[in-house]
Amino acid sequence: MEHILLKISIMLVPALLAVTMHEVAHGFIADKLGDPTARLLGRLTLNPVKHLDPIGTIALLVFGFGWARPVPVNANNLRRAQKDMIWVSLAGPSANLMLALFCALLLRVVVYIAAAIPEGSQLLPMIEPVGLMAAFGLYINVILCLFNLLPIPPLDGGRVLMGILPESQSQLLRRIEPFGMLLIVFLIFGTSIWSSAFGPAVHSVVAMMAGSHMDVVEQTMRLLFYQ
């Protein structure tokens, strides 16, 4: 039980921040482009309670990826509905990318400070959890960024694709959208795409951002998911 509580204490804040910032970014850009729906519903807030999906949060903590309640966007309010939805859709993954970069920087700072602290100092037990949170934050934000960019509606990448394609092909994607999540579940659990393509892509991006501190990220993930 103590080990489980330790894991949750490390994962909870980065996970909630990742999904909350993702949804707020969607609503914020939509508001700037003419659709105030999210703002009027009180969804432009960093209060995670306003955004949590219970199943998505549990999945995030158990499997390392999950989701929040989507921020509502009324495309009819946007000034240029089809083109503006591209920017609204890209806002969420962009927020996760920015958070990933911040976590990578924070990880470097924590490792530098930890190396300068004398062994046995009482400061080490205080700073080590910050490093673990930064490492997990880097991992979870890269996953959310890349996962949401998959070109399958209703994921953000699918909506971007609908905004880029000609109207006839965009309409075809809209017909697929109601079955999009089933397709995604099949691709993840029914094929090898996660292990053969998506997983290695996530690892490569995390490694690029973590640099020489990738070993800290790998140790953190082993602690959280394999012990």
Side-chain angles (χ1 to χ4, degrees):
M1 177 61 72
E2 182 179 347
H3 190 59
I4 293 175
L5 292 176
L6 173 63
K7 289 183 179 182
I8 292 176
S9 67
I10 292 170
M11 299 168 68
L12 193 59
V13 172
L16 291 181
L17 185 60
V19 295
T20 297
M21 288 297 293
H22 181 100
E23 295 303 330
V24 170
H26 283 314
F28 178 79
I29 295 300
D31 189 41
K32 293 298 181 184
L33 294 176
D35 176 34
T37 305
R39 173 167 53 82
L40 295 176
L41 291 175
R43 296 293 301 276
L44 297 189
T45 173
L46 294 180
N47 179 1
V49 175
K50 295 285 189 178
H51 306 283
L52 289 186
D53 177 281
I55 297 176
T57 304
I58 292 172
L60 197 64
L61 297 176
V62 174
F63 300 111
F65 71 95
W67 57 90
R69 285 191 302 118
V71 161
V73 176
N74 186 344
N76 293 325
N77 291 333
L78 298 173
R79 300 185 187 96
R80 301 173 304 162
Q82 187 170 355
K83 298 303 180 185
D84 285 349
M85 276 303 298
I86 295 175
W87 300 112
V88 172
S89 300
L90 287 174
S94 297
N96 290 127
L97 178 60
M98 293 300 103
L99 280 173
L101 291 170
F102 171 78
C103 288
L105 177 61
L106 178 60
L107 180 61
R108 284 171 165 77
V109 172
V110 169
V111 171
Y112 176 80
I113 293 174
I117 296 175
E119 188 174 347
S121 170
Q122 294 183 350
L123 291 176
L124 277 177
M126 298 173 60
I127 196 169
E128 284 177 353
V130 179
L132 294 173
M133 292 170 70
F136 177 70
L138 171 56
Y139 166 84
I140 195 61
N141 277 288
V142 169
I143 276 206
L144 287 175
C145 177
L146 296 185
F147 178 74
N148 278 284
L149 286 176
L150 292 175
I152 305 171
L155 296 180
D156 298 323
R159 296 188 184 280
V160 170
L161 197 57
M162 285 192 286
I164 294 174
L165 291 174
E167 184 60 26
S168 59
Q169 297 173 25
S170 180
Q171 286 296 334
L172 178 60
L173 277 180
R174 286 190 178 90
R175 295 193 196 100
I176 297 173
E177 185 168 0
F179 313 101
M181 289 309 298
L182 290 176
L183 176 59
I184 292 163
V185 169
F186 170 74
L187 290 174
I188 292 175
F189 296 104
T191 71
S192 62
I193 190 170
W194 185 273
S195 58
S196 63
F198 188 77
V202 169
H203 185 275
S204 297
V205 175
V206 172
M208 180 178 64
M209 291 187 176
S212 61
H213 304 307
M214 184 60 185
D215 59 325
V216 180
V217 178
E218 292 175 339
Q219 291 169 12
T220 300
M221 302 315 296
R222 284 194 294 269
L223 169 68
L224 295 177
F225 295 106
Y226 303 109
Q227 293 184 12

